[in-house]
Amino acid sequence: MHQRHQQGFNLLWSHHSDDTTFRLSLNQQLHNTEHSRPVRNMSEAKNIIITGASGLVGPLLASRLLNSPEYRLVLTDLHPPILPPNVTHPSNATLLQGDITSPAFITTLLTAAQPLHAIFLFHGIMSAGSEEDYDLSLKVNVDSIRLITDQLRLTNPGCRVIYASSQAVFGQPLPQGKITDDVLPTPESTYGCHKLMTESYLTSLHRKGFLDVFIARFPTISVRPGRPTAAASSFLSGIIREPMRGVECVVPIEDRGFKSFLASPRTIAENLVRVLGLGSGCLPVHRRVIQFPGVSVSVQEMMDALGKFGGEDKLGLVKEVRDEGLERILRSWPTDFDLSTAERLGLVVDEGPGAEGIVWEYVRSLGKV
């Protein structure tokens, strides 16, 4: 079967999904590896599904949860889900590979996690990939969420749903200063539009009492380990990651004063754990969005931190070549946010100043300092 793939959240999704291709035997999945054994006493476990589990955020969150005996995880992705290494309770993870756009696979997935406590929805097609392929973005970023929640509200009414959205829901015109919770989202990209559509749909499910929804609007995550993604913001990790391994990074905007709103992977994972424990009534029933904390930093600040922690020689590997299409997307996004709601709810922010905390964390993870 011919398949065309696009990247998103470091995972791949297929245009031509065939239900039979990814229809998995639940028994086979549960006994395939030593890492798919459930906890001994299911009544004591909180069963949680994480989609997009071969990407970045899914394994980070799974690593946190699998160090506690109270969670049993079902990790799923189109490609083999990642079981985080060195966790305390690896046997509390079930790995299910399949197509989240397939109703048959969604049934298998939900069955594997009963009784379900919560689901984290991290799968998706990212910004540049969505702009290139509108239909694929619609299928993955919108339709798959509807399919999952349509089943979920019947099988597990009131289940907690935590959805990863994006600051790309905003666009021009933007007010001067920080974006507050009262600023109207006006997306200028396919990705942002589809994220906003899904936000509205999930909020309606919460308002109706079908599900218990929280929407986490992520900052740009930096520094992402691994390979570049199909995101317009990919260079905001590449500007550090690639030079640190001796590879050139192309910055698609010739403006070192250009600012972006960033958060480290570690801080994103910490805040997701905190949202999992929030009481449902901490937000109004018709406003379920939490802007996750980040720091507003410029390209120059990223380069300064690279030179400081990685070495001045690495700066020669950063090339600035304008890409008008990517620049249009990047300049439509806000550069800073008011974090009053996040602070009230007890979420945390990366330490500064500027980009230094984010870059230091990544360079240290490489064992370079």
Side-chain angles (χ1 to χ4, degrees):
M1 178 178 64
H2 174 68
Q3 293 180 327
R4 179 184 175 194
H5 297 92
Q6 291 290 347
Q7 210 170 20
F9 273 87
N10 280 351
L11 59 142
L12 301 178
W13 292 92
S14 166
H15 258 308
H16 309 297
S17 62
D18 180 342
D19 284 359
T20 60
T21 303
F22 299 109
R23 191 173 298 161
L24 305 179
S25 164
L26 180 57
N27 289 334
Q28 177 185 358
Q29 288 294 326
L30 292 176
H31 299 288
N32 232 6
T33 73
E34 65 174 339
H35 298 307
S36 62
R37 298 190 304 271
V39 294
R40 289 184 179 181
N41 189 343
M42 292 293 293
S43 64
E44 296 178 357
K46 292 180 179 178
N47 295 333
I48 293 176
I49 293 172
I50 299 177
T51 72
S54 70
L56 171 66
V57 178
L60 285 172
L61 177 62
S63 181
R64 289 290 306 273
L65 298 179
L66 289 172
N67 282 323
S68 171
E70 69 176 311
Y71 298 110
R72 174 182 175 264
L73 305 186
V74 179
L75 308 177
T76 187
D77 207 325
L78 184 62
H79 290 270
I82 296 172
L83 179 67
N86 304 318
V87 294
T88 308
H89 303 281
S91 62
N92 284 8
T94 296
L95 310 182
L96 287 183
Q97 182 181 357
D99 182 358
I100 203 69
T101 70
S102 160
F105 177 72
I106 291 171
T107 298
T108 298
L109 175 65
L110 297 183
T111 301
Q114 296 302 319
L116 185 61
H117 175 70
I119 183 170
F120 288 87
L121 299 173
F122 294 152
H123 66 279
I125 306 300
M126 296 183 79
S127 50
S130 294
E131 203 64 34
E132 181 179 336
D133 195 327
Y134 180 91
D135 291 327
L136 183 61
S137 176
L138 188 65
K139 181 177 182 180
V140 176
N141 292 340
V142 180
D143 293 343
S144 73
I145 304 297
R146 182 184 56 80
L147 290 172
I148 294 167
T149 53
D150 277 355
Q151 287 200 35
L152 195 59
R153 68 188 179 96
L154 298 177
T155 60
N156 295 88
C159 177
R160 174 148 298 184
V161 175
I162 300 175
Y163 172 67
S165 191
S166 167
Q167 62 193 12
V169 298
F170 292 100
Q172 302 297 324
L174 291 170
Q176 295 295 319
K178 297 181 179 182
I179 302 299
T180 70
D181 292 345
D182 295 326
V183 173
L184 179 68
T186 54
E188 294 186 62
S189 67
T190 298
Y191 179 67
C193 180
H194 287 170
K195 282 291 185 180
L196 185 59
M197 289 167 63
T198 301
E199 284 188 9
S200 296
Y201 181 72
L202 290 175
T203 298
S204 73
L205 294 180
H206 182 93
R207 182 184 58 80
K208 293 288 289 183
F210 296 144
L211 296 168
D212 183 16
V213 173
F214 282 98
I215 297 164
R217 282 187 187 151
F218 287 175
T220 295
I221 301 175
S222 178
V223 177
R224 286 177 172 266
R227 301 174 63 86
T229 68
S233 58
S234 183
F235 79 95
L236 291 166
S237 287
I239 196 173
I240 307 298
R241 182 186 59 228
E242 268 57 271
M244 287 303 302
R245 60 188 183 95
V247 176
E248 183 179 285
C249 172
V250 176
V251 175
I253 189 166
E254 295 177 345
D255 177 6
R256 293 194 181 184
F258 173 77
K259 288 192 171 186
S260 299
F261 193 64
L262 310 180
S264 70
R266 177 186 57 82
T267 296
I268 293 289
E270 171 63 29
N271 285 330
L272 286 166
V273 172
R274 296 187 179 213
V275 170
L276 179 62
L278 290 177
S280 182
C282 68
L283 294 176
V285 295
H286 65 297
R287 301 186 70 167
R288 305 305 297 176
V289 172
I290 304 171
Q291 174 60 52
F292 266 32
V295 292
S296 180
V297 299
S298 67
V299 172
Q300 184 65 60
E301 288 175 299
M302 294 289 285
M303 294 181 68
D304 290 344
L306 173 63
K308 180 176 180 177
F309 298 120
E312 293 292 329
D313 59 305
K314 301 296 191 298
L315 296 175
L317 294 169
V318 179
K319 307 298 181 184
E320 296 156 282
V321 181
R322 187 184 184 201
D323 182 315
E324 292 186 6
L326 291 180
E327 182 174 355
R328 179 185 61 79
I329 294 174
L330 291 164
R331 289 197 182 277
S332 73
W333 297 346
T335 61
D336 205 0
F337 290 82
D338 175 80
L339 300 178
S340 299
T341 296
E343 291 171 353
R344 174 175 65 82
L345 298 177
L347 304 194
V348 298
V349 66
D350 288 288
E351 295 182 2
E356 289 192 4
I358 290 172
V359 175
W360 166 256
E361 179 183 323
Y362 180 73
V363 174
R364 182 175 56 182
S365 75
L366 300 176
K368 301 291 187 180
V369 292

